[in-house]
Amino acid sequence: MAALLESVLLRKVDVDKVVDWLKSVQEGEKLSFSEPQLAIQKQEFVPFLLNFLREQSSDALTNGPATPAKTPMPSAAPPGLQGGVLPQDRRALSASMPRKFASVTTWFLPRSGRGGPQSDEPGGRRSARGGGHGRMSEQVSPSTPAHLNFNNLEDFPPVGSCPVSSGTSKPSRRINPTPVSADRPHSKPKTCFTSTPLQKASSPPLGAEPLEGLGLTAKFLNVFIFCYVFTENLVPNVYLELFFVMQLLTSRSLHTHNDEEQLSLCSVNSVHNCVYFAVKVLENQFQLVAHLDKCTLRLLAENERVASFSPDLKDRLSQAQNRSTAKVRHVLSTSTFIHSVPFQPATDNRSNFGSDKAFHPLKKKRDIFYEALREWEDLHKEPGWNFDAALGTKIRGMMSQLTSAGNHSHFARLFLKQLVQMCKGPRTSTLSVDTTDADLLGMLGADSLGRLKRLEERLIQPHRVVGPCPPPSFPGHQEFFRDFIQTKPSREIQEASVALRSKVVLDVCAVLSNSVRRRRTILTVPWLVEFLSMLDFIGPLLLCYRVALGTLLLLYRSDSPQLNRHEEMCYLNKLLLVSVLGWLFQVKEFGVEFGPEVSRGSVTSQRYRSGLMFCLVSACSGEFRKLLAAFVSGSAAKSGGIIRKITPTSAELKGTPTANRSQQKLQVDLEQAFFHNQPPSLRRTVEFVAERVGSNAVKHINEIARSMLYSHGWMNIYCGSNGSVKIECELLQIVAFRVSVFTSTFIIFFF
Amino acid sequence: MRLSRAEYKEIARWTEQLRPTRQCMKILKDRYPHHSQSTLLSIFSLEYQKRTKRTMSRHHVPDVMERYYQRYLSETKVRPTAPVLLELANEVDLSPALMARIILDRFLKDMDGGMPSKTVLNSMLKEPSLIQDHILANNIYQCTINDCCYGPLVDCIKHAVGQEHEVLLRDKLMERNLSFLDENQLRTMGYDKTPDIILEVPVAVEGHIIHWIESKASFGDDHSHRTYLNEQFWSYWNRFGPGLVIYWYGFIEELDCQRDRGLDPSMRRPLGHHGVDRQQWLPLS
């Protein structure tokens, strides 16, 4: 395919032909073109192209994390490759190409099927696992050894080395992956997807001979744009690519260009070209871009480069800004209350235990469990704090005392209830709510606190762009429960967990196939993706997860190409699915076979209008905004432009006086506190009674209202001016409703 | 009544020279006329217990105890009606009630030849007339009634005062028409940990929601509060959520900061003295 690209660049192949070929939906279709007598498979071309673009733009991209050229290679080496890329062809192209080839990751490849010897070779890249950087940058030779081995120094000599003399090539010149994200010490098997095959240090002058002097004209750039855009549907993660485009848009060159570099092969390696490319892509992908949130759109519209390269795009962005309904979700814990699992005499008192001997130890367990939880809360953010070192002994000691099965089940129930209680709420990720917050929360209410928090964050946190694919995590208290379980308290627990593994706790396959059948994937897939992203590295090897992952993969591939062809809501649905799945496959490496493509029917027909889409998109949008804002802060500083928009929160709240508000909040809290310590059935009963009494009250008041209307002789007016009386009636109904709300509040106190 | 930690420390330092006697309590009261007597007595009691824990090992040595006993025997021979044991306790700076126990224990060993049972010992301390030696019985009795920190009489008073305050608390709750379960009800329902009161409908106290109330007829200092937290309050919190503790004789005001725990805000001041200003006298002086 290097040859294809070359041919396109050399105008030996018609661009339209390539584009048509990429657009076509037939499976495994190969493109044959005369000149070098090649046949190329589509799946190979896309990764190659994406890698190529990143390679070419690496010099200009100094902003933000490198976006990975994470594009999968098909598992089976296509025959076309075998015949196509002959040594002379390879030599004929930029030497970087095979190198990038080798860096293509294999999330579709079963681990066993990698043809493995790469790490045994002297020059082979070693697995990057656990090194603090992404597995995505693991260098893997695709497929079977019978085919080309890209790590083979003979076949793919290092850049700049003489391709013929294999003996002289030094393994040390192979490019090793560079760790990019270093601050993720915990989740080794999971990888933050911010690493990339882009290695600036390793980029030799790209003046690879064959294409030198071609001089990239706008025409050629267009080729890339077209290819890029039309293959958009084939990229693994649309947001990742969009992020890449934004990076291009805001790129700056670190070093001064000398003439030599200007002359080199560069599709996108000068800032001008980068921006041109980015703007063209944004124009072309406007439908997608228009669904970004308001702030991102504003930043894009105000971007001086967009304005100067395409005033039309600027206008369209400005218009889209007004239409945009997407909102960036700010992750903020609104619940600062830790509620313990209430003691319920019905299930927890002495009569539920066989003997005092069984009853009393559990009493202690509960206290130790909460003690551990409190200690974790207080200390886990301290540097150097280690769960196992601090709490391991305590937990193991506690669990070892749980001898009888009855005790186990009681403790397990407590553990589970506490887990659900703490983790079901809004996700608490990076923001911890300290005690000051809780004070403020009481004073201002959660909304205002959220705004204050964001303001604080803007003012004190360094601007850090982490990339559009955040790693999966166990946010907030989930971390405590995970670590607790991982403490491997006792042999029994370990054995039990092994036994559990062989059983399917949650039948993901059934859930998934059921949702596909009922055409509700849009509801199921997002949470399933979150669930699967938390699998440890053994999980995907189990049959049930393998099957589920395979199905998701098929879903992903069958949904992908439909992005542009559906009406608005359907489009958003698909975008959501493609995004979450893209994220999943990006951040996790699953050894799932990339099976044959399923028929490209739409699997999601249900219309789903919700903030979910925007929540997801917002994770990316936040990163887009950071990138764009960082650019503005650099370029607009001279003109004194506003860098960040900050809306101050006034201490005085609109409308209700503070005292009143806190009083209301207290009432709500009291009600919650009451129900918290009662069996759930009580709440249901109260709600039922309140509803009944409320509706009867409304009925009753309606009667009174009607009789009042009659007695006041308003009947006449009713005959005359229909509308005004209707309004009166409605007003009375509102009053009645208010009364009913009061009634229900009273009922709660009757209990 | 809330005291700052500094104030508390000053009082504690001053009490170091005092003995647990009626006279000393009078001196303490005159020294701090603005504080209630029960608060002062409670503080003294806490500090005296700490002091005893520190010094008890000095007295609990066989040689030393034998010396005390021999001294008691020889002095009662000379002055059979004098409060020999009480004077001895004051002289060696030991609580009179504890001195009485040591001597009685030694006496019973002589009588029966073996180790006296704890039940017998305790019943004799409670009821000195059971002791056959009348001189010893008198001495033990003098020790018991002249000790305001240790001994069966003090235990009895403390228990009664505790009960009284629980009743007081229940009355106040009923006065306000609050629905609650008391300790006895909870016990019959099989609760594993029982605060004095569980509110069936939680209420807010100064903006903090509370589910339970524990009544402590004592002063809340750092040490006792910490002990209560570990043995009781956290257990209550683990089962019923945030609650309230009443220290009827006041507490160190810095105590009510549980802010560093990062808990439910209503848990932050659960352990304070809530609007109960009745001054309770501990009838020992």
Side-chain angles (χ1 to χ4, degrees), chain A residues 33 52 123 230 315 427 453-454 487 525 604 664 704:
Chain A
F33 52 103
F52 181 74
F230 281 109
D315 293 342
R427 288 177 47 151
K453 252 322 221 202
R454 292 204 295 279
T487 306
V525 169
T604 305
Q664 276 175 5
I704 296 171

PDB file of all heavy atoms in Angstrom, chain A residues 33 52 123 230 315 427 453-454 487 525 604 664 704:
ATOM      1  N   PHE A  33      -4.110  -2.080  -9.303  1.00  0.00           N
ATOM      2  CA  PHE A  33      -3.793  -1.042 -10.288  1.00  0.00           C
ATOM      3  C   PHE A  33      -2.526  -1.422 -11.013  1.00  0.00           C
ATOM      4  O   PHE A  33      -1.656  -2.121 -10.503  1.00  0.00           O
ATOM      5  CB  PHE A  33      -3.743   0.333  -9.647  1.00  0.00           C
ATOM      6  CG  PHE A  33      -2.856   0.435  -8.449  1.00  0.00           C
ATOM      7  CD1 PHE A  33      -1.617   1.024  -8.565  1.00  0.00           C
ATOM      8  CD2 PHE A  33      -3.267  -0.067  -7.214  1.00  0.00           C
ATOM      9  CE1 PHE A  33      -0.812   1.126  -7.458  1.00  0.00           C
ATOM     10  CE2 PHE A  33      -2.463   0.049  -6.119  1.00  0.00           C
ATOM     11  CZ  PHE A  33      -1.214   0.644  -6.226  1.00  0.00           C
ATOM     12  N   PHE A  52       0.836   7.204   8.533  1.00  0.00           N
ATOM     13  CA  PHE A  52       1.623   8.057   7.661  1.00  0.00           C
ATOM     14  C   PHE A  52       1.382   9.537   7.995  1.00  0.00           C
ATOM     15  O   PHE A  52       2.302  10.331   8.116  1.00  0.00           O
ATOM     16  CB  PHE A  52       1.258   7.755   6.203  1.00  0.00           C
ATOM     17  CG  PHE A  52       2.048   8.572   5.215  1.00  0.00           C
ATOM     18  CD1 PHE A  52       3.386   8.273   4.988  1.00  0.00           C
ATOM     19  CD2 PHE A  52       1.459   9.625   4.538  1.00  0.00           C
ATOM     20  CE1 PHE A  52       4.116   9.026   4.078  1.00  0.00           C
ATOM     21  CE2 PHE A  52       2.189  10.374   3.627  1.00  0.00           C
ATOM     22  CZ  PHE A  52       3.518  10.078   3.407  1.00  0.00           C
ATOM     23  N   GLY A 123      16.797  -7.102  17.646  1.00  0.00           N
ATOM     24  CA  GLY A 123      16.332  -5.746  17.388  1.00  0.00           C
ATOM     25  C   GLY A 123      14.849  -5.605  17.581  1.00  0.00           C
ATOM     26  O   GLY A 123      14.297  -4.550  17.364  1.00  0.00           O
ATOM     27  N   PHE A 230     -12.983  10.161   3.653  1.00  0.00           N
ATOM     28  CA  PHE A 230     -13.826   9.040   3.250  1.00  0.00           C
ATOM     29  C   PHE A 230     -13.522   7.788   4.049  1.00  0.00           C
ATOM     30  O   PHE A 230     -14.352   6.910   4.163  1.00  0.00           O
ATOM     31  CB  PHE A 230     -13.688   8.778   1.751  1.00  0.00           C
ATOM     32  CG  PHE A 230     -14.498   9.765   0.961  1.00  0.00           C
ATOM     33  CD1 PHE A 230     -13.892  10.752   0.222  1.00  0.00           C
ATOM     34  CD2 PHE A 230     -15.887   9.697   0.994  1.00  0.00           C
ATOM     35  CE1 PHE A 230     -14.644  11.664  -0.482  1.00  0.00           C
ATOM     36  CE2 PHE A 230     -16.634  10.617   0.302  1.00  0.00           C
ATOM     37  CZ  PHE A 230     -16.009  11.612  -0.452  1.00  0.00           C
ATOM     38  N   ASP A 315     -18.089  30.958   9.721  1.00  0.00           N
ATOM     39  CA  ASP A 315     -19.507  31.336   9.809  1.00  0.00           C
ATOM     40  C   ASP A 315     -20.373  30.148  10.196  1.00  0.00           C
ATOM     41  O   ASP A 315     -21.261  30.249  11.043  1.00  0.00           O
ATOM     42  CB  ASP A 315     -19.989  31.892   8.467  1.00  0.00           C
ATOM     43  CG  ASP A 315     -19.307  33.220   8.155  1.00  0.00           C
ATOM     44  OD1 ASP A 315     -18.758  33.819   9.117  1.00  0.00           O
ATOM     45  OD2 ASP A 315     -19.312  33.643   6.982  1.00  0.00           O
ATOM     46  N   ARG A 427     -20.587   9.975  39.526  1.00  0.00           N
ATOM     47  CA  ARG A 427     -19.210   9.507  39.588  1.00  0.00           C
ATOM     48  C   ARG A 427     -18.312  10.555  40.190  1.00  0.00           C
ATOM     49  O   ARG A 427     -18.363  11.719  39.839  1.00  0.00           O
ATOM     50  CB  ARG A 427     -18.718   9.142  38.194  1.00  0.00           C
ATOM     51  CG  ARG A 427     -19.346   7.887  37.720  1.00  0.00           C
ATOM     52  CD  ARG A 427     -18.940   7.548  36.318  1.00  0.00           C
ATOM     53  NE  ARG A 427     -17.511   7.665  36.106  1.00  0.00           N
ATOM     54  CZ  ARG A 427     -16.874   6.937  35.222  1.00  0.00           C
ATOM     55  NH1 ARG A 427     -17.504   6.046  34.517  1.00  0.00           N
ATOM     56  NH2 ARG A 427     -15.598   7.105  35.029  1.00  0.00           N
ATOM     57  N   LYS A 453     -16.212  25.277  42.024  1.00  0.00           N
ATOM     58  CA  LYS A 453     -15.179  24.261  41.883  1.00  0.00           C
ATOM     59  C   LYS A 453     -14.470  24.406  40.544  1.00  0.00           C
ATOM     60  O   LYS A 453     -13.251  24.329  40.451  1.00  0.00           O
ATOM     61  CB  LYS A 453     -15.830  22.887  41.935  1.00  0.00           C
ATOM     62  CG  LYS A 453     -15.590  22.043  43.196  1.00  0.00           C
ATOM     63  CD  LYS A 453     -14.252  22.176  43.690  1.00  0.00           C
ATOM     64  CE  LYS A 453     -13.544  20.969  44.184  1.00  0.00           C
ATOM     65  NZ  LYS A 453     -12.469  21.243  45.080  1.00  0.00           N
ATOM     66  N   ARG A 454     -15.273  24.618  39.509  1.00  0.00           N
ATOM     67  CA  ARG A 454     -14.686  24.743  38.178  1.00  0.00           C
ATOM     68  C   ARG A 454     -13.815  25.984  38.082  1.00  0.00           C
ATOM     69  O   ARG A 454     -12.758  25.978  37.475  1.00  0.00           O
ATOM     70  CB  ARG A 454     -15.801  24.776  37.131  1.00  0.00           C
ATOM     71  CG  ARG A 454     -16.536  23.469  37.010  1.00  0.00           C
ATOM     72  CD  ARG A 454     -17.174  23.321  35.653  1.00  0.00           C
ATOM     73  NE  ARG A 454     -18.209  24.293  35.394  1.00  0.00           N
ATOM     74  CZ  ARG A 454     -19.461  24.183  35.830  1.00  0.00           C
ATOM     75  NH1 ARG A 454     -19.797  23.150  36.569  1.00  0.00           N
ATOM     76  NH2 ARG A 454     -20.354  25.094  35.551  1.00  0.00           N
ATOM     77  N   THR A 487      -7.125  -7.427  48.018  1.00  0.00           N
ATOM     78  CA  THR A 487      -6.267  -7.748  49.150  1.00  0.00           C
ATOM     79  C   THR A 487      -6.202  -9.259  49.345  1.00  0.00           C
ATOM     80  O   THR A 487      -5.356  -9.763  50.054  1.00  0.00           O
ATOM     81  CB  THR A 487      -6.796  -7.057  50.420  1.00  0.00           C
ATOM     82  OG1 THR A 487      -6.931  -5.673  50.127  1.00  0.00           O
ATOM     83  CG2 THR A 487      -5.863  -7.190  51.578  1.00  0.00           C
ATOM     84  N   VAL A 525     -25.215  -0.949  25.398  1.00  0.00           N
ATOM     85  CA  VAL A 525     -23.785  -0.938  25.092  1.00  0.00           C
ATOM     86  C   VAL A 525     -22.978   0.037  25.953  1.00  0.00           C
ATOM     87  O   VAL A 525     -21.918  -0.334  26.460  1.00  0.00           O
ATOM     88  CB  VAL A 525     -23.573  -0.696  23.579  1.00  0.00           C
ATOM     89  CG1 VAL A 525     -22.114  -0.413  23.289  1.00  0.00           C
ATOM     90  CG2 VAL A 525     -24.041  -1.909  22.807  1.00  0.00           C
ATOM     91  N   THR A 604     -29.486  -0.584  15.664  1.00  0.00           N
ATOM     92  CA  THR A 604     -30.134   0.268  16.626  1.00  0.00           C
ATOM     93  C   THR A 604     -31.206   1.074  15.944  1.00  0.00           C
ATOM     94  O   THR A 604     -30.912   1.929  15.139  1.00  0.00           O
ATOM     95  CB  THR A 604     -29.124   1.246  17.237  1.00  0.00           C
ATOM     96  OG1 THR A 604     -28.071   0.479  17.751  1.00  0.00           O
ATOM     97  CG2 THR A 604     -29.757   2.067  18.310  1.00  0.00           C
ATOM     98  N   GLN A 664     -34.811  24.431  53.323  1.00  0.00           N
ATOM     99  CA  GLN A 664     -35.384  23.455  52.387  1.00  0.00           C
ATOM    100  C   GLN A 664     -34.477  22.247  52.236  1.00  0.00           C
ATOM    101  O   GLN A 664     -34.932  21.107  52.229  1.00  0.00           O
ATOM    102  CB  GLN A 664     -35.562  24.104  51.011  1.00  0.00           C
ATOM    103  CG  GLN A 664     -36.854  24.875  50.888  1.00  0.00           C
ATOM    104  CD  GLN A 664     -36.941  25.601  49.573  1.00  0.00           C
ATOM    105  OE1 GLN A 664     -36.075  25.461  48.708  1.00  0.00           O
ATOM    106  NE2 GLN A 664     -37.984  26.392  49.427  1.00  0.00           N
ATOM    107  N   ILE A 704     -64.583  21.720  44.716  1.00  0.00           N
ATOM    108  CA  ILE A 704     -64.860  22.997  45.385  1.00  0.00           C
ATOM    109  C   ILE A 704     -64.751  24.145  44.401  1.00  0.00           C
ATOM    110  O   ILE A 704     -65.605  25.024  44.344  1.00  0.00           O
ATOM    111  CB  ILE A 704     -63.872  23.211  46.559  1.00  0.00           C
ATOM    112  CG1 ILE A 704     -64.092  22.125  47.611  1.00  0.00           C
ATOM    113  CG2 ILE A 704     -64.036  24.586  47.167  1.00  0.00           C
ATOM    114  CD1 ILE A 704     -63.031  22.110  48.683  1.00  0.00           C
TER     115      ILE A 704
END
